[in-house]
Amino acid sequence: MPDYTAIQKDFYRESGKWLSSFEIWRKCMNPNLHYIYVFRKAQKYKKKSIPGLFWRFFLRHYQIKYGYQIYPETQIGEGLYLGHWGALVINPKTKIGKNCNIAQGVTIGQQNRGRYEGVPTIDDEVWIGPNAVIVGNVSIGSNVLIAPNAYVNFDVPAHSVVMGNPGKIYPRDNATEGYINNKI
């Protein structure tokens, strides 16, 4: 398999096709893909380089325009899929694995005190539903589905579904089957 860039892999998740540079530009009409494109470009260059400053300036513009607070410092694996356009907040120290879906209204944030002081770490193939909240120094395993409106401030083992506020864990082998498509 050729060495595709993170941008191509992110766009593959949306279409299921490997796209040329022109096709990627054309797909940037979609606000979610447009933001991902600028986000990945801002990550590519050193912060204080001319291209780095250029792409970070544009990223800041699109953060305001689209309501996404995802910073270049955030470590996000290839195959990121933003399900819908809408407010989204991710702490810059958060680590997110490959093939993750994040819906609108999600907050992935820092907890400033207590047992789980810190930021979340999220493994591969995690589906995070609309308006879900994940806070604190918690670990979310692979193949986890976090249901819409769930509140997660605890560790979640792999192969699980989390539902409710407060969240409750339900073990399930194929938790994200049918939810995470076009995996890379």
Side-chain angles (χ1 to χ4, degrees):
M1 181 165 113
D3 184 28
Y4 292 105
T5 66
I7 291 172
Q8 288 169 316
K9 291 175 182 178
D10 294 337
F11 278 60
Y12 177 84
R13 288 289 319 285
E14 187 271 336
S15 65
K17 299 175 189 171
W18 295 108
L19 304 173
S20 69
S21 296
F22 175 75
E23 291 170 318
I24 287 173
W25 271 94
R26 198 173 71 206
K27 286 262 186 191
C28 281
M29 295 298 286
N30 175 325
N32 304 347
L33 294 174
H34 190 198
Y35 186 83
I36 288 172
Y37 181 86
V38 175
F39 167 73
R40 293 295 189 190
K41 287 290 193 178
Q43 282 188 316
K44 182 178 177 179
Y45 298 100
K46 292 182 180 178
K47 189 175 186 175
K48 296 190 179 190
S49 69
I50 298 296
L53 292 170
F54 172 83
W55 285 109
R56 284 170 185 268
F57 172 79
F58 276 103
L59 182 65
R60 184 66 186 140
H61 169 75
Y62 289 115
Q63 285 174 330
I64 295 165
K65 180 175 182 177
Y66 296 140
Y68 295 134
Q69 288 185 37
I70 309 172
Y71 298 92
E73 298 78 21
T74 311
Q75 295 177 37
I76 300 178
E78 299 164 329
L80 171 64
Y81 182 81
L82 300 177
H84 298 281
W85 181 31
L88 180 62
V89 178
I90 300 176
N91 185 286
K93 295 177 185 171
T94 299
K95 294 179 184 172
I96 300 174
K98 293 182 354 181
N99 291 320
C100 288
N101 288 29
I102 304 173
Q104 75 278 9
V106 169
T107 299
I108 302 173
Q110 179 172 321
Q111 185 169 311
N112 293 324
R113 62 179 178 253
R115 181 174 160 203
Y116 289 109
E117 182 178 338
V119 295
T121 300
I122 300 170
D123 281 349
D124 300 339
E125 297 181 21
V126 175
W127 186 89
I128 304 170
N131 301 312
V133 175
I134 305 168
V135 293
N137 184 15
V138 297
S139 178
I140 310 296
S142 295
N143 185 34
V144 169
L145 186 144
I146 299 175
N149 298 310
Y151 180 76
V152 181
N153 65 345
F154 49 84
D155 292 334
V156 178
H159 312 292
S160 302
V161 174
V162 179
M163 296 171 52
N165 182 356
K168 185 172 179 187
I169 299 171
Y170 299 91
R172 182 161 181 205
D173 286 338
N174 298 319
T176 59
E177 186 175 344
Y179 286 88
I180 298 181
N181 300 318
N182 305 322
K183 297 176 188 175
I184 52 135

